[in-house]
Amino acid sequence: MAKVFVNCKKCFTKFRREKREWICKKCREVSELDYLKQKVIDLKKKLKDRNPYRNRKLLIKRMGGCCIRCGFDDWRALQIDHVNGGGRKELKTIGKGNSKNYYISVLEDTSGKYQLLCANCNWIKRSENKEI
């Protein structure tokens, strides 16, 4: 099979085409990153809704929709947990009753600082890690 080189449709650099690609790998990665950024922006727009239950459901759905330890999936008992603790300090800096900003900070996080646990698993984790 002959190697086929084409010009990228975005940056016009030559690259080796595999299958039916029309943009180079670098442009594809940038496109995927732009797509993910746009998804976060769209979710922020949806979070502007004043209904906190709807915002919470949206965030829980975005985080997987079930407890990562036991698989429980009722949104009423799911809690956003800080993997390494420190949730109380963060909530104090955000302020009481300002759940929208908290949800946005959870959405923007890419470091894996948050996880979704049911209430039982969260309390068990707190007890095991002596966070109580």
Side-chain angles (χ1 to χ4, degrees):
M1 183 176 252
K3 294 181 181 179
V4 178
F5 288 89
V6 293
N7 289 332
C8 175
K9 296 285 183 184
K10 288 191 173 186
C11 66
F12 304 108
T13 58
K14 280 198 173 200
F15 72 100
R16 182 177 169 210
R17 187 173 104 182
E18 296 175 16
K19 298 179 185 172
R20 300 182 123 191
E21 297 171 335
W22 294 102
I23 59 173
C24 64
K25 185 177 180 181
K26 185 178 176 184
C27 290
R28 223 174 321 133
E29 289 172 355
V30 169
S31 296
E32 290 170 4
L33 185 62
D34 288 342
Y35 173 74
L36 291 174
K37 285 180 182 176
Q38 188 59 43
K39 276 186 92 169
V40 169
I41 289 169
D42 292 343
L43 286 170
K44 279 186 191 177
K45 286 179 185 174
K46 287 181 182 178
L47 280 176
K48 286 186 178 177
D49 187 6
R50 297 232 182 238
N51 186 343
Y53 295 113
R54 199 174 302 150
N55 290 342
R56 190 166 178 274
K57 282 183 189 178
L58 180 70
L59 181 64
I60 287 172
K61 184 178 176 185
R62 167 79 160 70
M63 292 182 75
C66 66
C67 175
I68 64 166
R69 283 191 173 186
C70 68
F72 186 75
D73 63 353
D74 188 350
W75 70 271
R76 296 171 294 181
L78 291 174
Q79 300 174 346
I80 299 161
D81 175 57
H82 292 72
V83 175
N84 299 322
R88 288 185 188 178
K89 292 177 186 174
E90 186 174 346
L91 286 175
K92 283 182 182 178
T93 61
I94 291 172
K96 267 191 172 179
N98 203 351
S99 62
K100 184 175 75 172
N101 289 343
Y102 178 66
Y103 292 157
I104 288 173
S105 69
V106 172
L107 268 176
E108 288 177 339
D109 179 63
T110 56
S111 64
K113 183 174 156 185
Y114 304 100
Q115 63 185 355
L116 203 57
L117 295 175
C118 67
N120 288 336
C121 290
N122 197 8
W123 276 95
I124 291 168
K125 177 191 162 262
R126 290 176 70 185
S127 166
E128 289 170 351
N129 296 343
K130 297 181 175 106
E131 296 176 9
I132 302 173

